[in-house]
Amino acid sequence: DGGITQSPKYLFRKEGQNVTLSCEQNLNHDAMYWYRQDPGQGLRLIYYSQIVNDFQKGDIAEGYSVSREKKESFPLTVTSAQKNPTAFYLCASSTLGGHEQFFGPGTRLTVL
Amino acid sequence: GQQLNQSPQSMFIQEGEDVSMNCTSSSIFNTWLWYKQDPGEGPVLLIALYKAGELTSNGRLTAQFGITRKDSFLNISASIPSDVGIYFCAGRFETDSWGKLQFGAGTQVVVTP
């Protein structure tokens, strides 16, 4: 089945630690996105990538980093510089310039 | 980034009732999308709209792209318990050259028997 997978489903981190969230898609989509979701708010864009080895900052990129070494994969690292990292993180993908984005199941990150 | 204004924030309805929610923006959109999110899961695309005035159905769901291109609404007819969840609108600005979406804050729907 084609789709987007994210792992792990739940992640706990101590303050001061970096942590990496995985996102993989087998939809053959060129574009991939990372969003952060907080209660009562819409999704906010962290980073996006339209092509391998290229990515752009979104609206709330501070404290996050990404890489795009393969078309299928777009991992997100939450660094210790992110002041309030506890949130639900969603990965999405689309065709290049496509209007419709398809989401993975999400990773809930909790900082202890 | 700018967010859409989505209302209502929450709705408590009885099974069998119809549900209506809408999103408005001060800017013109060339695409409107409606998603549903179950607790702890990622949003699932329900309906996509691409032209002003377009009316599209997906089962008991109906969505319309406003004539002004600044609003959209979603209706759910004859609600059932599995309609429970958060419904998000998302839109793409006319001026965006790539796929950036703006999201509403969501409408939480609770269906009681």
Side-chain angles (χ1 to χ4, degrees):
Chain A
D1 289 337
I4 303 174
T5 57
Q6 291 185 241
S7 61
K9 182 70 174 173
Y10 300 96
L11 190 56
F12 297 88
R13 188 194 93 176
K14 292 182 180 179
E15 284 192 20
Q17 289 181 335
N18 293 351
V19 63
T20 297
L21 283 60
S22 168
C23 178
E24 304 276 336
Q25 55 97 2
N26 60 3
L27 300 169
N28 200 32
H29 285 167
D30 288 296
M32 297 186 74
Y33 313 82
W34 274 105
Y35 291 92
R36 171 182 171 134
Q37 185 176 31
D38 295 287
Q41 297 189 35
L43 278 63
R44 292 184 290 168
L45 182 65
I46 304 172
Y47 269 97
Y48 66 96
S49 168
Q50 295 178 279
I51 195 169
V52 173
N53 292 322
D54 185 58
F55 48 82
Q56 306 296 328
K57 292 181 179 180
D59 300 318
I60 56 166
E62 184 176 352
Y64 301 98
S65 65
V66 294
S67 62
R68 187 87 186 276
E69 297 177 1
K70 298 187 300 181
K71 184 176 182 178
E72 304 79 19
S73 178
F74 190 39
L76 172 74
T77 296
V78 184
T79 75
S80 56
Q82 169 50 236
K83 292 185 173 61
N84 184 21
T86 294
F88 191 50
Y89 291 88
L90 289 160
C91 178
S93 71
S94 72
T95 57
L96 193 61
H99 296 254
E100 300 172 15
Q101 293 183 17
F102 298 92
F103 287 85
T107 292
R108 183 166 299 281
L109 172 64
T110 302
V111 173
L112 304 173
Chain B
Q2 178 181 348
Q3 286 193 332
L4 304 178
N5 296 313
Q6 184 172 351
S7 64
Q9 187 174 13
S10 61
M11 306 183 72
F12 293 82
I13 59 173
Q14 285 194 320
E15 187 174 353
E17 288 184 345
D18 295 346
V19 175
S20 183
M21 62 196 78
N22 69 84
C23 280
T24 60
S25 170
S26 57
S27 301
I28 291 175
F29 280 60
N30 63 13
T31 301
W32 282 99
L33 306 174
W34 284 93
Y35 289 88
K36 183 194 177 195
Q37 185 177 29
D38 291 329
E41 300 295 331
V44 174
L45 183 63
L46 299 173
I47 292 178
L49 303 161
Y50 299 105
K51 294 190 302 186
E54 181 180 356
L55 186 71
T56 297
S57 293
N58 178 6
R60 293 178 295 105
L61 307 176
T62 301
Q64 184 160 27
F65 195 138
I67 292 294
T68 65
R69 299 171 66 192
K70 294 182 178 181
D71 61 348
S72 177
F73 72 77
L74 174 71
N75 284 343
I76 307 172
S77 63
S79 59
I80 59 177
S82 62
D83 290 333
V84 167
I86 302 177
Y87 293 79
F88 289 98
C89 62
R92 179 173 167 174
F93 286 128
E94 181 183 44
T95 53
D96 272 335
S97 60
W98 64 280
K100 183 175 182 179
L101 295 177
Q102 305 294 326
F103 285 85
T107 295
Q108 179 149 22
V109 173
V110 177
V111 179
T112 57

